[in-house]
Amino acid sequence: MGASSIDVERELTPFSGVVRTVVLVGRKGNGKSATGNSILGAKAFKSRQSLDGVTGTCELERTVTSNGQIINVIDTPGLLDSSVESDFIGKEIARCIDLAKDGIHAVLVVLSVRTRFTKEEEAAILSLQTLFGSKIIDYMIVVFTGGDELEENEETLEGYLGGDNCPEPLKNILNLCRNRRVVFNNKTNDKNKKAVQVRELLSLVNMVIAQNGGQPYTDEQFTELKRQRLSHQKEVESLEGKSNMEIPELKENMERSYDDKLKRITEMVELKLTQTTTRLQQQLAEEQAARLKVEKNLEIAKIKTEELDKKKADKSRTCAIL
């Protein structure tokens, strides 16, 4: 799509040339692409769904803010959807890492105020630690979409999250994120509202960077892929001076070698994901079994109480007759 701009002005400020890379994750229907477009200030991302309901592939778009800050936005397909196969997720994680190149400055977990947050969704978000590494939690920011609905109901995000409206699993996620959250109205045409919510988000992104010592998130997968990319670039540069007959074959061999390395990283992610999925499924099954046991015990206690009450009532009637 090329670069877009939140503001045409390109003033030289301390942020001029600073790059921030954010990754959007969330379940289908929560508004990832719309949120990405709000950040970019342009309709760069489109929801292109395949026959099996999975949105295309990871995409990167870029914008430059009025103070010269460069924002890379990576939209990801259904990484938190339980229906998506692990091999697809593995490939997309590898692609996401490849697009991020020098690391991720923030992971934007997109949730919707229109849907209730569940224990299963909490487990899916926690699986990000497997997909990207354990420290990724330190880079997470929760973005709530559906700000238009809150406005229509004259409600604030604080009010929405307050009291009994905020389920325990969501409280757990917000606590992990140190309560870093922002609400987005992706439907508004008010330019001022658009600018305010983007500024608030970028302020949180810069806070995340500061809290992590000024460094973006990387792990062994990033390091390995970056090393392989640099090696690949050097190999491409070494083609200079080779004969025209040698170049096609050498290029083909280099591409195959690079693809093999990407495949190994993909397989590593897949293995981690499979192990975590199995563990989470077992955990959820145990929790469900525990809930059913509690419910059964309550039902038994209720029946016993009703039987006892009936006996007392029968005894009272008998005494009254006598």
Side-chain angles (χ1 to χ4, degrees):
M1 282 288 175
S4 57
S5 178
I6 294 172
D7 194 318
V8 178
E9 295 181 64
R10 302 290 181 86
E11 299 176 4
L12 293 177
T13 71
F15 275 120
S16 184
V18 171
V19 178
R20 296 285 185 254
T21 298
V22 299
V23 177
L24 295 160
V25 299
R27 299 176 70 179
K28 293 192 295 290
N30 279 359
K32 291 193 309 296
S33 298
T35 299
N37 291 336
S38 291
I39 297 170
L40 294 164
K43 292 184 178 180
F45 297 121
K46 294 180 181 179
S47 295
R48 291 187 292 272
Q49 294 196 332
S50 61
L51 293 176
D52 60 0
V54 178
T55 302
T57 186
C58 288
E59 297 178 77
L60 182 147
E61 296 291 345
R62 171 176 294 185
T63 190
V64 181
T65 66
S66 59
N67 61 9
Q69 193 172 17
I70 299 168
I71 310 298
N72 292 326
V73 182
I74 298 176
D75 190 14
T76 64
L79 296 184
L80 301 185
D81 289 298
S82 58
S83 59
V84 180
E85 297 294 333
S86 60
D87 60 339
F88 176 83
I89 293 179
K91 290 183 179 68
E92 289 309 309
I93 292 298
R95 176 169 169 75
C96 180
I97 291 171
D98 196 31
L99 289 172
K101 297 188 186 303
D102 296 320
I104 295 172
H105 295 91
V107 173
L108 310 183
V109 179
V110 182
L111 304 177
S112 173
V113 300
R114 295 183 172 89
T115 57
R116 185 154 181 85
F117 191 83
T118 64
K119 189 73 176 175
E120 286 73 17
E121 193 159 10
E122 178 193 17
I125 291 174
L126 292 176
S127 70
L128 289 174
Q129 291 178 291
T130 298
L131 299 176
F132 289 101
S134 59
K135 290 186 177 180
I136 198 66
I137 295 294
D138 296 334
Y139 290 81
M140 279 171 45
I141 298 170
V142 178
V143 179
F144 288 94
T145 61
D148 54 303
E149 186 167 305
L150 292 179
E151 290 174 16
E152 287 174 8
N153 296 328
E154 297 183 346
E155 190 176 8
T156 63
L157 182 60
E158 288 72 20
Y160 170 77
L161 296 174
D164 298 331
N165 288 331
C166 189
E168 201 62 34
L170 180 53
K171 288 180 181 178
N172 295 338
I173 292 300
L174 290 173
N175 286 336
L176 280 176
C177 298
R178 298 184 184 179
N179 209 35
R180 293 186 294 264
R181 79 283 190 286
V182 64
V183 64
F184 260 50
N185 179 347
N186 292 320
K187 294 185 177 181
T188 183
N189 292 317
D190 187 321
K191 291 183 178 180
N192 185 55
K193 282 184 180 179
K194 288 180 178 180
V196 167
Q197 62 190 20
V198 172
R199 279 202 303 270
E200 186 176 351
L201 173 63
L202 295 182
S203 176
L204 287 175
V205 172
N206 290 327
M207 180 191 299
V208 165
I209 296 303
Q211 290 174 346
N212 286 286
Q215 297 299 315
Y217 172 77
T218 58
D219 70 349
E220 69 275 7
Q221 297 172 90
F222 276 92
T223 304
E224 173 64 13
L225 196 56
K226 186 174 182 179
R227 188 177 70 81
Q228 300 298 349
R229 189 187 302 112
L230 290 172
S231 175
H232 181 63
Q233 288 173 353
K234 288 180 180 179
E235 288 174 344
V236 172
E237 291 169 1
S238 71
L239 291 177
E240 294 181 11
K242 301 289 184 181
S243 68
N244 291 335
M245 291 183 64
E246 290 179 288
I247 290 177
E249 184 177 353
L250 289 171
K251 276 189 174 181
E252 184 179 345
N253 290 337
M254 283 188 290
E255 291 296 337
R256 189 182 300 114
S257 174
Y258 187 59
D259 288 343
D260 287 343
K261 290 161 185 172
L262 275 177
K263 184 180 179 182
R264 284 198 295 274
I265 292 174
T266 299
E267 289 171 347
M268 180 173 64
V269 173
E270 286 177 25
L271 178 60
K272 286 183 178 181
L273 181 62
T274 301
Q275 292 171 340
T276 302
T277 301
T278 301
R279 188 173 69 251
L280 289 174
Q281 287 175 341
Q282 183 179 357
Q283 181 183 339
L284 288 171
E286 290 172 353
E287 290 177 357
Q288 185 178 16
R291 284 198 301 270
L292 290 173
K293 185 177 180 180
V294 170
E295 290 171 4
K296 185 177 180 179
N297 289 337
L298 288 173
E299 185 64 27
I300 292 172
K302 181 182 177 183
I303 292 171
K304 287 182 177 179
T305 301
E306 290 174 349
E307 289 176 348
L308 184 60
D309 290 344
K310 187 175 181 300
K311 287 179 180 179
K312 287 181 179 178
D314 290 343
K315 186 175 180 181
S316 297
R317 280 195 296 271
T318 301
C319 291
I321 293 171
L322 294 175

